[in-house]
Amino acid sequence: MENLADKIKQLKEQLKLEISKENSNNNLILQLTNEIAKLDENEVRFTVDAGIINRLGKELVGRHETAVSELVKNAYDADSLEVKLIFEHAFQPKGTLYIEDDGVGMTREQLIKGFMRLSSADKIHTPLSPRFKRIRAGRKGIGRFATQRLGEKLTIITQTVDSESAIKVEIDWNKFQSDMDLLTVSNSIQVVPKQKQEGTLLIIKDLREGWTDAMIKRVFRYTSDLLQPFPLSKSRKKEEKKRTDPGFRSTYFRNDDSELKRITDDEDAFFNHALADIEGYVLDDGQACWSLKSNKLNFKEEVFFIGKNREDETSKFEYIKGVHFKAYYFIYLSSLIPNQQLSFIRDVANEKGGIRLYRNGFRVLPYAETGNDWLRLDESSRRRIILAPHSNNNFFGFVEITDKTGVLYEETSSREGLIENTAFNELVDFLNRTLVSAVIKVAELRGTKSTTTQKDWKKEEDPTDVVDSAISELDIIIDEEDQKKTEEGNEQFEDSDTHERKSSQRLKDAVKKIKEGRDKEKEKIKNLLEEKSMLRVLAGLGLVIGEFVHEVKRFLPAFHTDTTYLKEIVKDYPEALTRTERLSNNLKSFTTYTSYFDNTISQNVLRELEVIELRDVVYLFEEVIKTDSIRSYINFLPAKFGDFDLFTTPMHKSEWASILFNLYTNSKKAIRRAEKKPGEIFVRCGRENTSVFMCFSDNGDGIPIENRSRVFDAFFTTTSAASLSSSDTDAMSGTGLGLKIVKDIVESYGGSIVVTEPDQGYSTTVKILIPSKEHTQS
Amino acid sequence: MMKYIYIDDEDESIAIRDGLNDVKTIHVALEKPKKFEEQSQDLLNKLKAYDGIILDLRLDDHPQSEARYTAPPLAQALRSLAAINQGIGDCPIVLCSTDAKIKKSYIADQSSHDLFDYKFSKDHEPDFPKIVLKLDSLAKGYRELYQLKGDLSSIIRREFQKLDSRIFERLYNPEVNFPSHEYARFLIKELLGQPGPLINEKLLAARLGIDYLASPGWRSLIENFFDDGVYKGVFSDGWRRWWADTVNDKFKSITGKRLSGLKGPERVNVLINVTRIAELTPAKLIPRCVSYNFSTICEFYKQPLDPLEGFRIMTLKEPKPWQEPRYLSIDAAVERKGFTNGLMIHPSESERLERIKTQLKAEGK
C-alpha cells in the first residue's frame, strides 16, 4: 500500500515538473495523468488501446472501393458541388489518392470534435447537411477509417469560407500500434495559407492496393445514388442560391506522368448515352410545351405544345403554372449504348431511374424511389399500348414545383409525399402525357412502330425504292434548273456565270454516274437472287438425296445376297455369269457411293466444326472414287503430302466432300473434252505460311488464262453446249454453281481458291488455301 | 447341320437370312421379335431344336413391332437362365446390326460386349462364307464345351499347366462350375481374338518373314512343317491359329537356328534350304521401315513389322500382360493411314509420334 502511495506521489511530482515547463510535452502529461488515474484506489476507468484504429478500420470498411465511395459521400454531405479524385501512380500499391471537394470544409474545432473524435454524435445530431439540407449519405463515423483502410498516411487540408487560413493535419496510421494508449498517439496539426475559398482536400499516401480503371468505375457506381444529374433551372438558382441544391458531381482522374487523364465522370458514364433530352414547361398562362433534342438521332431541338385537353393542344392547365421538368431518356440497346456502359447505366437506372420531385428546391420522397411509379410509367409499359420503352428506368429526370405557401400541394400528415389533390393529379397527367408523347416522337425518329394502333406505320421502305426515287428527284431538279437557265440565258449573256455552269455540269455528271452504277448494281442483285434461288433448289435436292441414300441402304444387303446367289446358280453358263458379274460390280460401286454419301450426310448432322487433316478427307475420297475413276479411264494417282499434321481451321467434314466432288467432276469433264485416255488426276497437299493447301490437278483441256478468275463465278461454265455429252449427269454439273459453292465454302473460312500455274505434266491446277489449325483466329 | 434362330424385324433381314443359308453350311430361321417375357421363354423352348441365336441390335426400331427392347437385355436374360439351369440352353448368341446403330448404341455400352460371342454388320456386303464359318464353329464348340465340363486341357487340346499360369487364372477354379458361355467368351475374346499365345496366319507368316500371299509354297510349308503347332481345341474350325511358342521351337528344330536371331529374308532362305520348298517370297519392308526383325504386323499395311518401328494402337480393351499389343507402322502413323477407319495411336505413344515426325521433317523425308 505504501508502495502505491509512493508511486502516485512520484508520478505527481513528475507531472508537476512537466506542467511547469515552458514547453511542456503534452504526450507526457497525458501519459502521466493516465497512469495516475490507473492507480486510483477507489475508481476504475476504461482505456482505449491504439490498435483499435486498425481493428475498426478493418471491420467497418471491408473493400477498398467502398472506402473511396464513403469519402465521396462525405464530400456530398459537406455540400460540395464537385469532388475530384486523382489516383496518382496508383496502378500498383503505394500510390497516392487526392480527394478534393469544394464543400463547406471544417474549422479547427469541427475537425477536433468531429473528425478526430471517435463515435462523434455529429451526424446523429444533424441528419441534414448545413447548406443544401442534403440527406446525409455517408455512414456515421466511417470516413477516417476509410482513409486508414486505403493508405498508410493521411493528410487533411481544410478551410471554411469564414476562416482566414487553412488547417493541415497529418496522420501516420502506422503509429497506431497495439499496447499503446490511443490518447497518447499524437498527430501534427498546422495552420497553413488558404488554398481556396472553402473545401477539404484529403491526401492518402502509400495506398495499400493497386487501382485498375474497372475498380475506379465501380466506385463511381457505388456513389451513383448521389447523382443529381439535373441541375435545377438556372433562374431559380440565382434566386435561392443559398438554399437550392445545384447538384453534385464526381470526376475521377488518373495521374501517371504529370498529366491528368479522366477515367470517368457522370457525363461520360451517363448523360452522353442518353438517346434524347426531354424538357417541359408550363408557362404562366397555363400553356404547356415540351422540347425534344437528340444528338444520337441527329434531331435538333424542337418545341411542341401540349394541352390540358388531350384533343386541344392549346387548352390551358389550371394549377401547375410554372412547373418545369427535365428528363434524360435511355433505351437499353447495344446499338444505342456501348456495351461496357450499357449494363452499368441500366443497373443504376433500375435503382435510381424515374422522375424525382423537388418542391421549393427540396426533394420530396418517395417519388422516383425504387418501386414508386407515381407517373404510372411502369403500369403503362405493361399494358403495351405504347410499344416504345417508357418505364421508370428509361428516364433520369426531375420536376420542380414552387409552392411557397403550401396551398397547392399539401404534404400528407405523415410527411411522406403529397396529397393527391387536383393540382397533383394535373401534374401527374402533364408529366405522363408529355413523356409518352416524347417517347412516341423518338420512336418515330428511329423508324419503329411505337403504338399498337399506329396505322400508317409500314415496314421500312425498300432502300432500293428510296434511292431510285431520290435519283428521279435529282433528275427533275436538274431539268428544272436547266429550264430556268435557258429562260434566263435568253435574257443574259451566256458567260455571265461560268462557275455556276461548271458546278451544274459536275452535278449532272455525278447523277449520271449514280444512274450507271445503279443499273450495274441492279444487274448484280438480280444475279445474286438467281444464284440464291438456285442454291435453294440445290439445298432442297440435297435433302431429298440424303433421304434417298439413307433409304437405299436397306436394299444393299439384298443386292449382295441375291447377286452372290445368282453367280452360284449360273456359274456353268458363261454368258449369264458375265452379266451377273457385271451386275455385281455395278452394285458394288453403287454401294461404295451410297455409303460415302451416307457418311457425309450423317457427319453433316453433327453441326459442330472440327479441325480436319487433309489426309483424312483425301483418303476417304480416294477410296470412294476408285471404281468410278477406273470406269472413266482416269488414273487417280496417290496423293502426296508435303508435311505432317495438315490440320485445317475447324470446318464441316462434309464440306470437303463437296469440294472434292466438285473438283473431281470438273476434272472429269475436262479430261473427257480433251479425249485423254487415260486421264490423270493428282492431289498434292502441304503447308504454306499460315495455311494448309491442296492442289488438285488434271490433264484435261485446261482453262484459258482469261477464264481463270471467272470459273468460280456463279453460272459460269467452260463447257460449250456442243461438247456436253448427254450422259453428263454428274451432280450439279448443269447448274454452273459447283465451283462457286466450293469458293463460298473456302472463303467462308478465310481461305482462298485460285486456278494457278498447272503442276508439271498437267493442264489445270486448282489451288485451295485454308487457314491452318495453328493459325485459326479464336 | 447347325441351326440358328434369327430374331429381326428389319426389311433387310430376309436378305441376311438368305445370304447365310446360301452358303449351305448352317440353317437360319427368321422370326419377328415378341414382347420381352414371351421372347425369352419362347427362345428357351425353341433351343431344343436350335443351336444358336442371332439377334438384331435394335429390336425396338420397327414401328409395327411389339418389342420394346434391345438385344443386350435379352441376351443377358438368356445367359442368366443358362447359368441357373446348369448350362442347359447355353448357346452362341450372335449380334448383327448396321454400323451406324452399332456405333450409336453398342460400342459405348461396354458391359454388354461380353454377352455376345460374335457380331457382324449387315452393311455393305457381308462376307457370308466367313460369317457362316464362325457361326457353324460356335454352335459345334458350344456342344463340345457342354460335354467337356470345364476340363481346360481338353478344351484347348494342350496341357494348360504348361502355359503361362496367368492365362487361365480366372477360369481355373475347381470350386466353380462355369457355364459354357464363360469358356466360349474367354476362348473367342481373349485367346483366339488377340495375338498372344495363339497367332493367326498373317502373324505366323510375318514371324517367318514370308509374304504369304505372294508365296505359292506357303500352304505346303505350313501343312508339312508347322502342322504340330496348329490350335486344335474348341472353335478351331472357325478360328485358324498357331501356338506361338511352338512356331519358334519348330523353326529351331528344323533349321537348327533361332528365329529371332535372323532377319526376315534370312529366315526365308534358311527355310527354303531345309524344306526344299522354293516358292516362298520374303516379305518386303513397309515404306519408311528399315528393320527386318519382324515379329508383328502393321494393322494398316497388314505386312510384317519390327515393333520397334511401330506404334501401339488403341484397342477397346487394353491387352493383358500375356497378350501382345497391336501396332501401326511409322509410315501409317505419320500419314494417318487407316485413321478414318478407326485406327488410332495409343495415347502413350503420341509424344514419340511427334518426335518422330519432327525427326522425319528434319531429315526431309
Side-chain angles (χ1 to χ4, degrees):
Chain A
M1 277 301 155
E2 219 171 297
N3 225 348
L4 192 69
D6 278 355
K7 206 166 182 191
I8 294 175
K9 196 178 165 197
Q10 202 186 329
L11 286 167
K12 284 185 176 171
E13 288 294 321
Q14 238 180 306
L15 182 61
K16 234 186 266 171
L17 185 72
E18 189 63 37
I19 291 175
S20 60
K21 281 184 188 166
E22 200 174 328
N23 286 321
S24 55
N25 179 343
N26 286 345
N27 278 350
L28 188 58
I29 294 172
L30 275 170
Q31 197 187 328
L32 290 169
T33 44
N34 243 343
E35 277 178 38
I36 294 167
K38 275 182 200 160
L39 296 173
D40 193 332
E41 254 182 284
N42 301 319
E43 296 186 52
V44 288
R45 294 161 187 86
F46 283 107
T47 56
V48 183
D49 191 283
I52 197 173
I53 295 288
N54 288 320
R55 282 258 300 285
L56 283 174
K58 244 176 238 160
E59 278 167 29
L60 293 173
V61 191
R63 300 173 56 149
H64 57 304
E65 292 155 4
T66 333
V68 177
S69 73
E70 282 300 330
L71 296 172
V72 173
K73 287 177 186 173
N74 280 352
Y76 173 83
D77 292 346
D79 284 325
S80 302
L81 302 186
E82 183 173 18
V83 60
K84 275 189 199 147
L85 290 90
I86 301 166
F87 290 82
E88 196 173 81
H89 303 298
F91 276 111
Q92 303 292 331
K94 294 279 167 199
T96 306
L97 169 61
Y98 297 83
I99 302 178
E100 184 172 15
D101 71 39
D102 55 359
V104 292
M106 285 181 275
T107 60
R108 187 186 170 95
E109 195 193 353
Q110 281 168 331
L111 184 82
I112 292 168
K113 285 194 175 165
F115 189 84
M116 295 303 294
R117 185 174 168 82
L118 296 189
S119 195
S120 89
D122 187 48
K123 284 203 178 160
I124 306 173
H125 293 323
T126 42
L128 293 181
S129 68
R131 188 172 297 158
F132 300 128
K133 307 289 176 224
R134 288 174 178 168
I135 299 164
R136 290 208 156 154
R139 280 154 69 206
K140 182 170 70 80
I142 293 298
R144 50 195 157 245
F145 295 115
T147 62
Q148 185 273 339
R149 170 70 186 76
L150 287 168
E152 291 172 25
K153 295 196 180 76
L154 169 69
T155 306
I156 308 174
I157 302 168
T158 184
Q159 55 254 292
T160 62
V161 68
D162 301 323
S163 66
E164 274 163 22
S165 49
I167 40 177
K168 176 176 176 184
V169 174
E170 283 172 293
I171 300 171
D172 181 351
W173 297 111
N174 291 331
K175 289 201 313 203
F176 293 81
Q177 306 282 349
S178 291
D179 299 327
M180 282 176 72
D181 261 320
L182 181 60
L183 219 52
T184 60
V185 184
S186 61
N187 308 284
S188 90
I189 182 161
Q190 283 170 267
V191 175
V192 294
K194 240 178 152 174
Q195 296 180 324
K196 57 205 284 189
Q197 201 186 7
E198 55 181 341
T200 303
L201 169 66
L202 301 177
I203 304 168
I204 302 167
K205 283 188 192 144
D206 292 342
L207 292 175
R208 298 181 202 274
E209 277 91 4
W211 287 80
T212 63
D213 285 0
M215 290 173 180
I216 296 172
K217 285 181 180 166
R218 224 152 26 227
V219 173
F220 177 76
R221 187 155 156 185
Y222 291 154
T223 58
S224 59
D225 49 349
L226 308 179
L227 286 181
Q228 187 200 320
F230 3 82
L232 300 184
S233 45
K234 279 176 192 147
S235 57
R236 215 170 290 266
K237 219 152 90 186
K238 267 181 215 150
E239 229 171 77
E240 308 177 22
K241 197 180 177 193
K242 278 279 177 261
R243 298 197 51 207
T244 308
D245 188 347
F248 173 76
R249 48 181 289 156
S250 53
T251 314
Y252 294 71
F253 299 94
R254 226 180 234 303
N255 181 4
D256 284 314
D257 27 30
S258 66
E259 198 182 318
L260 284 189
K261 197 180 132 225
R262 199 176 65 185
I263 304 303
T264 189
D265 63 16
D266 25 337
E267 283 294 321
D268 181 45
F270 257 91
F271 303 114
N272 286 344
H273 302 293
L275 182 57
D277 300 4
I278 305 162
E279 205 160 357
Y281 297 93
V282 181
L283 306 176
D284 290 339
D285 64 351
Q287 173 65 55
C289 57
W290 56 277
S291 71
L292 181 77
K293 191 172 90 180
S294 168
N295 292 334
K296 289 204 176 201
L297 297 172
N298 215 355
F299 183 75
K300 291 208 181 86
E301 188 158 13
E302 208 171 295
V303 178
F304 307 87
F305 289 108
I306 187 163
K308 181 182 171 69
N309 183 334
R310 195 175 289 266
E311 264 74 52
D312 177 7
E313 60 182 28
T314 56
S315 57
K316 310 279 192 278
F317 283 90
E318 275 173 65
Y319 301 100
I320 56 169
K321 291 163 190 162
V323 162
H324 163 234
F325 83 89
K326 181 166 173 69
Y328 292 91
Y329 177 48
F330 290 87
I331 294 182
Y332 303 108
L333 286 177
S334 53
S335 53
L336 296 172
I337 303 174
N339 272 325
Q340 61 266 39
Q341 254 83 34
L342 181 70
S343 61
F344 166 52
I345 298 176
R346 188 168 45 201
D347 287 353
V348 173
N350 283 338
E351 241 178 280
K352 314 287 173 198
I355 306 294
R356 299 181 187 186
L357 176 60
Y358 285 78
R359 179 167 173 258
N360 301 332
F362 296 109
R363 173 98 191 262
V364 186
L365 293 176
Y367 306 111
E369 289 292 275
T370 313
N372 174 283
D373 187 24
W374 73 293
L375 296 178
R376 295 198 284 277
L377 293 168
D378 291 347
E379 185 192 320
S380 159
S381 292
R382 279 194 298 272
R383 272 164 49 206
R384 292 193 55 79
I385 291 169
I386 315 295
L387 297 177
H390 62 294
S391 306
N392 278 307
N393 69 2
N394 293 108
F395 299 99
F396 276 95
F398 71 94
V399 56
E400 35 183 356
I401 52 179
T402 324
D403 178 30
K404 289 272 158 53
T405 50
V407 174
L408 268 177
Y409 308 97
E410 279 178 73
E411 238 170 313
T412 59
S413 51
S414 63
R415 302 213 151 241
E416 281 173 3
L418 304 175
I419 291 175
E420 295 189 13
N421 58 16
T422 330
F424 182 81
N425 287 336
E426 199 178 76
L427 177 69
V428 169
D429 181 62
F430 163 65
L431 287 168
N432 177 295
R433 277 169 47 216
T434 313
L435 289 173
V436 167
S437 308
V439 158
I440 291 173
K441 180 73 194 166
V442 169
E444 186 190 312
L445 292 172
R446 292 178 62 221
T448 60
K449 193 176 179 181
S450 53
T451 69
T452 35
T453 50
Q454 199 173 328
K455 291 223 177 57
D456 55 352
W457 186 86
K458 57 174 181 168
K459 225 180 167 136
E460 210 180 313
E461 227 179 321
D462 185 347
T464 320
D465 298 342
V466 176
V467 178
D468 280 349
S469 70
I471 291 175
S472 34
E473 182 76 27
L474 276 173
D475 269 342
I476 293 167
I477 293 170
I478 291 171
D479 255 14
E480 285 172 357
E481 286 292 309
D482 275 355
Q483 223 148 26
K484 222 161 85 189
K485 290 257 175 61
T486 335
E487 283 161 17
E488 285 169 2
N490 287 342
E491 293 159 20
Q492 291 175 3
F493 293 109
E494 284 214 349
D495 58 352
S496 65
D497 201 344
T498 45
H499 177 72
E500 197 178 318
R501 271 203 302 145
K502 260 187 197 160
S503 60
S504 115
Q505 188 55 45
R506 272 169 61 199
L507 178 67
K508 277 184 201 167
D509 289 347
V511 171
K512 199 176 154 213
K513 267 187 209 152
I514 292 174
K515 279 183 178 166
E516 283 166 3
R518 191 77 190 137
D519 288 343
K520 280 187 195 144
E521 196 185 349
K522 279 181 176 166
E523 183 66 24
K524 209 169 166 185
I525 289 171
K526 201 179 132 224
N527 289 341
L528 278 176
L529 286 175
E530 262 173 48
E531 185 189 334
K532 195 176 146 197
S533 67
M534 193 46 134
L535 286 175
R536 197 184 304 124
V537 170
L538 289 176
L541 198 61
L543 288 176
V544 174
I545 291 174
E547 194 58 34
F548 167 77
V549 163
H550 191 74
E551 284 302 311
V552 140
K553 262 185 24 173
R554 303 170 161 275
F555 302 101
L556 301 182
F559 286 165
H560 175 59
T561 301
D562 296 346
T563 49
T564 314
Y565 173 79
L566 277 177
K567 268 194 272 184
E568 180 63 25
I569 296 291
V570 304
K571 65 172 181 257
D572 298 328
Y573 306 89
E575 179 63 11
L577 185 62
T578 319
R579 291 290 187 93
T580 315
E581 298 249 319
R582 193 169 71 202
L583 174 65
S584 168
N585 284 339
N586 283 340
L587 287 173
K588 210 169 256 175
S589 28
F590 179 75
T591 308
T592 323
Y593 265 122
T594 313
S595 65
Y596 182 74
F597 284 116
D598 190 49
N599 268 334
T600 307
I601 290 157
S602 54
Q603 281 157 8
N604 228 0
V605 176
L606 298 171
R607 290 251 150 255
E608 247 160 67
L609 306 179
E610 51 181 338
V611 296
I612 288 165
E613 227 274 11
L614 292 179
R615 284 177 175 79
D616 295 355
V617 286
V618 172
Y619 291 156
L620 273 177
F621 188 71
E622 278 175 349
E623 212 174 300
V624 69
I625 222 64
K626 210 185 292 166
T627 43
D628 182 78
S629 56
I630 291 168
R631 211 178 44 194
S632 317
Y633 302 105
I634 290 172
N635 199 356
F636 199 103
L637 296 174
K640 289 220 168 103
F641 301 92
D643 197 358
F644 303 122
D645 300 319
L646 298 172
F647 286 102
T648 65
T649 194
M651 299 175 73
H652 285 294
K653 236 181 194 164
S654 63
E655 286 170 324
W656 278 102
S658 303
I659 292 172
L660 285 161
F661 250 100
N662 273 306
L663 296 178
Y664 177 72
T665 314
N666 278 301
S667 290
K668 237 166 88 172
K669 279 189 261 179
I671 288 166
R672 196 175 301 153
R673 285 193 300 269
E675 293 178 14
K676 282 274 167 60
K677 279 186 186 176
E680 204 163 273
I681 294 179
F682 172 56
V683 176
R684 175 170 74 84
C685 301
R687 192 186 305 278
E688 207 172 275
N689 303 323
T690 58
S691 301
V692 292
F693 70 83
M694 174 187 285
C695 282
F696 198 102
S697 306
D698 66 58
N699 64 345
D701 60 353
I703 301 171
I705 291 179
E706 65 270 22
N707 283 347
R708 281 189 185 173
S709 60
R710 290 174 55 212
V711 292
F712 302 109
D713 293 349
F715 307 115
F716 180 87
T717 67
T718 53
T719 53
S720 61
S723 66
L724 258 177
S725 85
S726 56
S727 70
D728 195 345
T729 49
D730 300 307
M732 301 173 189
S733 63
T735 64
L737 274 178
L739 285 177
K740 171 72 166 76
I741 290 170
V742 173
K743 188 186 183 205
D744 286 349
I745 293 173
V746 170
E747 288 183 347
S748 73
Y749 293 103
S752 64
I753 181 168
V754 288
V755 179
T756 174
E757 266 314 295
D759 281 9
Q760 195 168 6
Y762 296 92
S763 43
T764 303
T765 296
V766 174
K767 182 175 189 176
I768 295 174
L769 280 154
I770 292 272
S772 69
K773 177 180 94 177
E774 296 79 9
H775 293 90
T776 298
Q777 318 259 307
S778 67
Chain B
M1 195 181 258
M2 295 291 140
K3 288 176 165 173
Y4 272 82
I5 184 160
Y6 172 25
I7 313 286
D8 195 342
D9 57 1
E10 294 287 340
D11 304 339
E12 67 268 21
S13 56
I14 297 169
I16 298 292
R17 178 200 63 193
D18 292 350
L20 292 169
N21 282 335
D22 286 348
V23 183
K24 295 192 165 42
T25 311
I26 58 169
H27 177 75
V28 176
L30 178 64
E31 281 195 12
K32 293 220 177 286
K34 302 179 172 57
K35 285 182 185 160
F36 190 86
E37 297 75 18
E38 281 175 51
Q39 184 72 73
S40 48
Q41 199 48 53
D42 186 62
L43 281 172
L44 270 189
N45 294 336
K46 287 203 170 113
L47 277 178
K48 285 162 197 145
Y50 288 94
D51 304 287
I53 302 168
I54 304 169
L55 296 176
D56 177 45
L57 176 61
R58 300 297 303 265
L59 296 167
D60 55 347
D61 246 12
H62 202 278
Q64 261 100 52
S65 171
E66 288 189 323
R68 287 286 167 267
Y69 53 93
T70 58
L74 182 58
Q76 181 62 63
L78 293 168
R79 290 302 191 207
S80 302
L81 284 169
I84 293 163
N85 296 333
Q86 253 94 72
I88 297 168
D90 217 0
C91 72
I93 304 180
V94 173
L95 182 72
C96 91
S97 186
T98 57
D99 286 345
K101 285 179 191 167
I102 286 182
K103 221 182 236 170
K104 202 170 147 197
S105 52
Y106 178 72
I107 292 194
D109 177 18
Q110 293 211 25
S111 68
S112 67
H113 293 192
D114 287 347
L115 294 169
F116 302 97
D117 297 291
Y118 186 68
K119 69 174 200 306
F120 66 89
S121 166
K122 295 186 206 176
D123 287 342
H124 316 309
E125 303 179 349
D127 185 348
F128 289 122
K130 182 184 160 197
I131 295 165
V132 165
L133 182 73
K134 306 285 183 190
L135 297 189
D136 188 42
S137 169
L138 281 169
K140 287 175 179 158
Y142 262 83
R143 282 191 181 179
E144 274 184 81
L145 285 173
Y146 184 66
Q147 284 154 7
L148 292 172
K149 302 223 176 297
D151 175 357
L152 285 172
S153 295
S154 304
I155 289 173
I156 62 166
R157 294 281 184 89
R158 213 182 152 183
E159 262 182 84
F160 82 93
Q161 288 92 341
K162 290 198 174 161
L163 295 166
D164 188 333
S165 61
R166 291 173 299 181
I167 302 176
F168 295 101
E169 63 188 0
R170 207 175 75 80
L171 279 180
Y172 181 62
N173 187 345
E175 309 270 304
V176 186
N177 192 8
F178 290 109
S180 305
H181 66 256
E182 284 295 325
Y183 295 100
R185 187 193 63 74
F186 172 77
L187 289 173
I188 294 161
K189 303 269 163 75
E190 305 289 359
L191 208 53
L192 298 164
Q194 286 291 330
L198 290 173
I199 55 175
N200 64 11
E201 190 172 5
K202 273 191 197 91
L203 257 177
L204 174 67
R207 298 236 163 131
L208 297 176
I210 296 171
D211 180 353
Y212 74 110
L213 294 174
S215 300
W218 171 249
R219 209 117 295 281
S220 158
L221 177 76
I222 53 171
E223 276 166 18
N224 292 313
F225 295 91
F226 290 93
D227 194 48
D228 299 351
V230 170
Y231 170 74
K232 297 195 172 74
V234 173
F235 303 131
S236 56
D237 42 0
W239 281 263
R240 206 155 169 247
R241 296 289 184 274
W242 285 260
W243 290 104
D245 56 334
T246 67
V247 174
N248 290 340
D249 295 347
K250 191 70 186 179
F251 188 88
K252 179 95 188 285
S253 75
I254 56 174
T255 65
K257 291 186 169 145
R258 269 179 46 245
L259 184 78
S260 54
L262 300 174
K263 308 249 177 245
E266 295 166 352
R267 295 172 199 171
V268 183
N269 274 338
V270 175
L271 282 173
I272 291 172
N273 283 339
V274 296
T275 63
R276 305 284 168 100
I277 299 172
E279 293 172 305
L280 295 177
T281 313
K284 289 187 194 71
L285 286 176
I286 293 169
R288 286 195 162 109
C289 282
V290 293
S291 167
Y292 283 98
N293 294 325
F294 301 138
S295 73
T296 186
I297 58 161
C298 164
E299 293 291 333
F300 173 76
Y301 282 103
K302 302 286 182 195
Q303 283 179 42
L305 175 73
D306 177 350
L308 290 177
E309 292 188 326
F311 294 93
R312 288 184 52 201
I313 60 169
M314 266 295 267
T315 40
L316 269 180
K317 272 193 209 167
E318 282 289 296
K320 302 219 160 38
W322 47 273
Q323 291 171 330
E324 288 175 19
R326 296 172 189 270
Y327 292 91
L328 209 52
S329 60
I330 289 179
D331 183 69
V334 299
E335 298 291 346
R336 302 173 64 85
K337 288 179 175 161
F339 280 28
T340 49
N341 294 322
L343 290 179
M344 199 195 285
I345 298 293
H346 196 279
S348 64
E349 296 268 46
S350 49
E351 217 182 301
R352 202 180 124 231
L353 177 64
E354 288 312 309
R355 221 166 46 229
I356 291 203
K357 279 182 191 163
T358 319
Q359 195 184 327
L360 285 172
K361 257 200 259 185
E363 291 164 6
K365 293 179 186 168

